[in-house]
């Protein structure tokens, strides 16, 4: 049997929201070295919490970057846009062929519960899913002194599983790795997104010109006591793997809303609204 050609390896696109020079994406690329044909397309600057924003009123530029993994250099571009911009541009312009898998991360800090909506890391993977590609977002639940090696090993494992088995259409994996040594992680758990919110405040400050400005602050509130949530899994020492989708339809609400008078024609009321 002949050896597999390097060009026959699966094509894996790497992205993030912490920027192309962030240690997380370097650790991710190094961890996936040898799994497939790697390419990096990521924002040139940090884009944390930009969600699924895309650039429509300014030009988006891409320039080549030097990027190396243990086996040698790999193709890489820095993009002057958001994580979603980076995936769009990679798939439509920069790459010779669509990737077989898009992996976003490794993010510094968790992307659990409601934070999924704000996360540029998750949005890069979501954009890939919208384009019909298998994708994974991976985050390390540590803000202070992140050690990405353990998360990298879990990323490699999940990438191998995904390449082997695929994902349901329109579904991506949101992975969060606890900040624990490898031998203290209990395993992986299939989880759901916990219900949560931020109790937010704005601190008013004054700039040197005497003008007020506002700095967002807040406290994270877990509203979910379920054992099967992403937050619970992390607390119990498990890698949380949550299948999510960009279809945001609330299907469970159909039963409670279907008795509204949807077929009744609107009549003009006294205020003039129809």
């Amino acid at each position: 049997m002949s050896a597999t050609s390097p060009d026959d390896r699966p094509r894996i696109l790497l992205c993030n929201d912490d920027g192309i020079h962030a240690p997380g994406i370097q650790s991710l690329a190094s961890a996936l070295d040898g799994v497939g044909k790697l390419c990096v397309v990521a924002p040139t600057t940090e884009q944390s919490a930009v969600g699924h924003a895309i650039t429509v009123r300014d030009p988006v530029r891409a320039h080549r970057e030097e990027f190396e993994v243990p086996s040698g250099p790999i193709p890489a571009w820095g993009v002057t846009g958001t994580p979603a911009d980076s995936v769009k541009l990679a798939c439509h312009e920069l790459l010779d062929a669509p990737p077989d898998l898009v992996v976003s991360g490794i993010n510094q800090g968790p992307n659990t519960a409601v934070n999924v909506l704000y996360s540029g890391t998750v949005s890069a993977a979501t954009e890939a899913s919208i384009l019909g590609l298998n994708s994974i977002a991976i985050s390390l639940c540590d803000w202070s002194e992140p050690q990405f090696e353990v998360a990298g090993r879990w990323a490699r494992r999940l990438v191998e599983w995904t390449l082997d088995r695929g994902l349901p259409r329109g579904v991506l994996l949101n992975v969060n790795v606890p900040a624990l040594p490898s031998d203290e992680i209990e395993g992986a758990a299939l989880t759901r997104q916990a219900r949560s919110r931020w109790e937010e405040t704005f601190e008013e400050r004054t700039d040197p010109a005497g003008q007020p400005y506002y700095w967002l602050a807040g406290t994270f509130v877990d509203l979910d006591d379920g054992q099967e949530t992403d937050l619970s899994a992390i607390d119990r020492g498990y890698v949380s793997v949550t299948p999510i989708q960009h279809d945001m339809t609330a299907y469970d609400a159909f039963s409670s809303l279907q008795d509204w008078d949807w077929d009744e024609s609107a009549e003009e009321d006294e205020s003039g609204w129809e």
Side-chain angles (χ1 to χ4, degrees):
M1 181 179 297
S2 60
T4 301
S5 166
D7 290 337
D8 294 334
R9 295 175 299 167
R11 298 178 298 275
I12 302 175
L13 170 63
L14 307 183
C15 189
N16 71 351
D17 73 358
D18 289 329
I20 194 168
H21 300 295
I25 197 169
Q26 179 64 68
S27 295
L28 176 63
S30 296
L32 298 182
D33 190 20
V35 175
K37 192 175 180 181
L38 303 180
C39 177
V40 175
V41 181
T44 55
T45 60
E46 183 175 347
Q47 298 287 312
S48 296
V50 301
H52 209 104
I54 57 174
T55 303
V56 295
R57 292 183 176 86
D58 294 298
V60 176
R61 307 182 192 277
H63 58 271
R64 295 299 293 259
E65 291 273 0
E66 294 184 359
F67 205 105
E68 289 204 16
V69 294
S71 64
I74 61 174
W77 285 265
V79 174
T80 60
T82 69
D85 288 332
S86 299
V87 173
K88 285 178 178 289
L89 191 64
C91 294
H92 292 303
E93 292 292 334
L94 300 179
L95 305 184
D96 295 333
D100 299 296
L101 178 66
V102 176
V103 187
S104 182
I106 300 169
N107 188 68
Q108 181 174 344
N111 279 311
T112 50
V114 72
N115 295 323
V116 168
L117 296 176
Y118 305 119
S119 168
T121 298
V122 176
S123 291
T126 302
E127 182 61 39
S129 181
I130 292 171
L131 296 175
L133 305 171
N134 287 329
S135 59
I136 301 171
I138 184 162
S139 304
L140 175 62
C141 300
D142 191 354
W143 290 110
S144 56
E145 298 179 357
Q147 302 295 319
F148 293 104
E149 291 78 8
V150 174
R153 288 195 287 272
W154 277 98
R156 185 180 180 105
R157 184 177 305 182
L158 288 161
V159 163
E160 289 173 341
W161 289 351
T162 302
L163 289 172
D164 182 50
R165 306 175 189 183
L167 295 171
R169 185 174 181 83
V171 172
L172 61 133
L173 299 182
N174 182 37
V175 180
N176 284 273
V177 181
L180 295 171
S182 184
D183 59 358
E184 294 183 20
I185 292 182
E186 299 291 340
L190 195 61
T191 60
R192 64 174 174 82
Q193 182 181 338
R195 292 180 294 108
S196 69
R197 69 165 179 262
W198 284 90
E199 292 186 350
E200 294 166 327
T201 59
F202 284 89
E203 180 182 341
E204 183 175 347
R205 303 178 183 180
T206 304
D207 68 18
Q211 298 300 310
Y213 67 95
Y214 302 90
W215 201 275
L216 177 64
T219 302
F220 181 77
V221 181
D222 182 1
L223 301 173
D224 206 320
D225 58 4
Q227 289 294 303
E228 71 281 9
T229 70
D230 46 12
L231 294 176
S232 174
I234 295 300
D235 287 343
R236 293 181 288 116
Y238 286 86
V239 175
S240 168
V241 182
T242 308
I244 61 176
Q245 60 187 14
H246 54 270
D247 179 357
M248 299 179 70
T249 306
Y251 292 101
D252 292 343
F254 275 77
S255 59
S256 61
L257 296 174
Q258 63 186 359
D259 60 349
W260 290 21
D261 297 325
W262 298 108
D263 296 328
E264 188 172 296
S265 299
E267 298 180 359
E268 184 176 356
D269 61 22
E270 294 180 357
S271 67
W273 290 98
E274 294 185 355

